[in-house]
Amino acid sequence: MKELERSLLGTILKAEINDGSNALLTEAREAGISSEFFLAYDTRAMWDAMCELDSKGVILDTVSLFTHLQKGDNNLKPNEVWSINDDGLSELHYNNLVTEMVEGYRTSRLSRLSMTIKDALTEGKESEEILTSVQSQCDSISSLTPSQDSLESIVDDTYKDVTGKINYSKYLKTGIQSIDDVLYRNGYGPGQLCVLASRPGCGKTAYALNFLRNTCMNNNAALLFNLEMGASQIMKRMFSIHSNLNMRRFEDGLAPEHRLKTLQDTTNVVKGWKCHIRDRVYKLDHILATARGMHRKHSLNGIIIDYCQLIKPMSQNISREQQVAEISREMKLLAKDLDVPVILLAQVNRESEKDDRSPIMSDLRESGALEQDADSIIFLWQTLSEREEKADFVRWTLAKQREGIGYCQGRINFYKGTQRMEDYSQFI
């Protein structure tokens, strides 16, 4: 492996001496090569030195590298520069060297992963936890060499997106026309992190489930993470939303006999949905790994997470604000990686409730990162008098949207008995 590492470094150094542009070093870094790929101390130190010089705008050659190493405290002998240079091959071998480096690194990572699995089994860890961890690491290994789009292809794709026929099927409608009308391209789009936030009792879970129903009714596949309720509770609400029947009536034995047929028809419809529910996944890394695994198996069109503040972050020894920022960042990256909308529910602090006003983005509990990362933010809320009167509607505020219509407000009917949400008669 060390010979391969030396050959790659020597080939890069020889090429840079000839063309004076650091082009091969840049290509290697874009291909995913990093310091971790070099197992030998001297080759890793040499790679780090070359990258440091490049970051300073210095063109690589034996003199600049030799001078840099003389100033450092890396215990690397400067005459290694000439030795590495002698090990370099022709540029024709460059692509093969990179491929071999990536393959070698992947193999070593997989070898370590097999040992991790063995240790976890010995420690008696549950299979679900092991599988989730393994899946996450496999995703990391498989993404070591991301494809790089050329500027030409990016320009062409953008031109087609602007002038061509829009594929609206990738944009998931909420089923509430007044909200769909103001969302960019009339729905939640691929790669978007869409935040829905409210105080407790204002219907954020009901909104999510109404959106889930509408998504599945349009033959789309969706994944719901609900960290607050069990799958049975969720399904009762789904039955109510779809059938417009109050499930409590059936549980209490008060539902009319003829309504049972409606409920049976509802269960048959729901069974045919491409709907996946996970109610026992709480850790951020498990959520990410599960989402990626489900996307590979089922080609998901959207992901819903209810809700942000209940997620257990990967980093424990940092402030809660930093933890929520980590969650927000990872959710945005998940949306981009899978090219689907991720709808993240969140809580709002009490300030808007005390002031009897619409929430604003700074009211998002525990983190300003959600404001930054989200592509769209919608708040659900009620005034104090509306809550006291138990009004059958909630107000919504579109506080942020990267594309499309900006700030606007409206109302939607919210029938708590059935959890159904429908369009209100008019805008505010």
Side-chain angles (χ1 to χ4, degrees), residues 45-62:
M46 187 74 73
W47 168 266
D48 290 339
M50 293 167 72
C51 291
E52 187 175 346
L53 285 172
D54 181 55
S55 67
K56 294 177 179 178
V58 177
I59 300 300
L60 291 176
D61 58 32
T62 51

Side-chain angles (χ1 to χ4, degrees), residues 358-371:
S358 169
I360 57 178
M361 288 191 286
S362 61
D363 291 323
L364 285 168
R365 180 180 288 182
E366 298 174 323
S367 178
L370 286 171
E371 301 177 44

